[in-house]
Amino acid sequence: MSNTTTIAWFDDLTASVFALGAAAREMRLAHQAAQVASWQIEPSRLRLVIGDVNIRGEYKISPCDIALGQVRGLSRAYQRMTADLYENLALTYAYGTAAALLAVIKGYRPRYVELQRDQTDHYLVPSGPLPDFRGDLGNWDGQRRLALLRSIVAARRLDHSGELSHGSLSGLADVAYAYGEQAETALHHLLLTSRTIQEPEAEQ
């Protein structure tokens, strides 16, 4: 077949990986925005508003305190939601890109990152470790960092099974995202240097 077919699978795959990374970036921004918003309503930053209202002549409340409490509750819920979604997307970016990279190393030509989702619209992330690509990427100078990030992701996921603070969760998401970026760079390197790009007749 013509070079057009070969370029198509290459373009589809890299666009698929990029879109997955872009989704993780958007969710990271949403989580960061949620954190900034929560800082804006910290009690220590707000001027005390004195004033009550009487409810049917039975009891008094501070409408400002009530409103701020409600806003803080919504803010905490939004932070938890965005943290959860960012972590899920970052891990999916890492594992999805790694799976695409592994497929190309094995000689396949996947057009898209293959994923699964559950009923809550979360992506299903494999429970096992990320693939070990040492020795599979030729003389690419990013192999050491890829291997290091792989080991950190594994360690964070083990820690994740215990009782962790909110900050620890974002740490897992950030390192998984970093792995995804490094694996995406590795994929581009492999595709640009692989003989599969130069042998379109193999698709016949």
Side-chain angles (χ1 to χ4, degrees):
M1 296 179 69
S2 68
N3 284 349
T4 303
T5 302
T6 302
I7 295 300
W9 82 266
F10 170 89
D11 285 344
D12 285 344
L13 181 60
T14 53
S16 182
V17 169
F18 180 82
L20 193 55
R25 287 188 290 276
E26 289 297 329
M27 194 57 68
R28 179 177 62 188
L29 285 173
H31 180 54
Q32 290 170 345
Q35 292 175 312
V36 170
S38 69
W39 178 72
Q40 296 290 341
I41 56 174
E42 280 295 314
S44 60
R45 298 193 67 255
L46 297 173
R47 185 178 63 182
L48 180 64
V49 176
I50 299 174
D52 296 331
V53 296
N54 205 353
I55 306 300
R56 291 181 173 270
E58 298 175 4
Y59 58 93
K60 295 184 297 182
I61 63 170
S62 166
C64 189
D65 288 348
I66 295 293
L68 287 174
Q70 292 169 331
V71 170
R72 290 189 191 104
L74 291 171
S75 177
R76 285 192 293 269
Y78 186 53
Q79 283 190 79
R80 287 192 297 269
M81 180 182 297
T82 54
D84 176 60
L85 291 172
Y86 171 41
E87 182 181 293
N88 180 251
L89 276 166
L91 284 167
T92 302
Y93 178 38
Y95 276 85
T97 305
L101 178 59
L102 184 61
V104 174
I105 288 173
K106 291 182 175 180
Y108 297 106
R109 295 184 176 187
R111 287 184 176 272
Y112 307 102
V113 177
E114 298 289 339
L115 302 171
Q116 296 183 60
R117 299 177 79 187
D118 62 19
Q119 293 181 341
T120 66
D121 290 335
H122 283 65
Y123 294 100
L124 299 180
V125 179
S127 59
L130 288 157
D132 186 353
F133 293 111
R134 286 175 294 184
D136 293 328
L137 298 170
N139 60 355
W140 180 55
D141 59 7
Q143 292 187 73
R144 180 175 296 180
R145 183 167 188 267
L146 187 67
L148 175 62
L149 288 169
R150 173 181 179 267
S151 64
I152 297 173
V153 170
R156 295 283 173 88
R157 291 197 77 186
L158 284 176
D159 288 343
H160 191 26
S161 61
E163 293 295 325
L164 295 180
S165 66
H166 184 71
S168 298
L169 299 183
S170 63
L172 171 59
D174 288 341
V175 74
Y177 176 80
Y179 179 93
E181 275 196 322
Q182 191 73 356
E184 184 174 359
T185 302
L187 178 64
H188 279 275
H189 169 80
L190 184 63
L191 289 171
L192 290 173
T193 58
S194 173
R195 291 179 58 193
T196 61
I197 301 300
Q198 304 168 14
E199 294 179 356
E201 67 274 13
E203 280 203 357
Q204 293 181 356

